[in-house]
Every structure is written in C-alpha cells, then in structure tokens.
Amino acid sequence: MYRVRVRSVPPVVLALRRFPNPRLTGIGAGLFASLTMFVLACADRLLFDSSELVYGLLFLPVSALTALWVRPADLVTAPISVPIAFAVGVFPISGGSEGFGGQVMGLVTALAVHAGWLYGGTLVAGVIATVRKVRLMRARRRYVLAQGRGPADERTPRAAAAASPPGAKPVRAGAGSAGTAGAAARRPQRP
C-alpha cells in the first residue's frame, strides 16, 4: 500500500499569500513607485530631517514591490521606472539652496551621493523581474510540452515527411508549375 505524503505550506508563504497582489501596467508601476517615493521622502523630511539612510532603506522595498506587482507583459519596465522614481522622490530631501539653479544642483548632488542606493534598488527590481520572466517562460514551455506540441524549431523535415500519407511526393519549397502558379505568384496583380 502506498502512502501519500502531503506537504504542509510554510506559515511564511501563507502570510505572503494574504497580501494584495495587484497587476500594474508599466505606466501604473512607474506612477506607483514615483508617488510612493515622493510621499516617503516628504515623510522622511518631516520625521527624520531628510535622512539619506532612511530614504535609501525605504527605496529597496518599493523597488521590490514595483517589480513584483507589474504585470507579466510589462516586466521590462520595472528596472526602468525604479530609477525614475528614485529621482522624483529625492527632490524633497535634496537640500538645494534657493532658486532654480540651486535646486537643480542639490538634486544632481543628491543623485550622485546616493548612487549606491539607486543601483541597489535597480538591481533588486532587475533581479526580481528576471526571475519572474524565467519562471513564466518555463511555465509556458511546460504547458506547450504538456499539450503534445513541441516548439516550431524542433520539427524536422523528416518528421514532416513521415507524417505525410504514403505515396505522396515530397515538394520542395518554391516548387510549382512554371506556367501557372509560379509565374502568377511572381507577377504583380493589376487592379
């Protein structure tokens, strides 16, 4: 007699399944990340006196959530929209002097000084998006193989010839009668 072994799901996985799982478009993911980072930067300015460490630490989970919540068709946009969100959010804590030129210089300086956080968050989003894409490709391949169809590049001419009815002549690509179908295919049609 065989015993069926039932796997129990770890409590961490059960807790993660209770979280919301939205599917954002590429633009929606960019807006989510930008607005979230701007609000967090404003809160950082009010509560922690524009702490770069707090802003950088908050940027990493926002990057991860952006890459997790973007829909599969727009996975490539996650690593692109995250640095833009970082730049939008760093504006309130950049600490530039008065005037337009001073604000721009403060923003550029803040981006240069916090490049490590920027690269780290972009790397997090890129890794998560890449893993999600690989998993989707593997699932699609398993589905195609389960349906009994192989990819088109795996079909060989011998397999196609073996599937043809007995006694049928093999046809070369582009072969046809020169007087009818072949000439008509090469000649442009007049209206």
Side-chain angles (χ1 to χ4, degrees), residues 16 22 41 51 75 88 115 119 127 133 136-137 145 156 162 166:
L16 288 175
S51 171
L75 278 172
V88 167
Y119 293 146
V127 166
K133 185 64 175 179
L136 285 170
M137 289 169 47
L145 291 176
T156 61

Side-chain angles (χ1 to χ4, degrees), residues 5-14 17:
R5 202 168 98 181
V6 179
R7 287 189 206 171
S8 64
V9 179
V12 174
V13 174
L14 290 175
R17 286 183 183 171

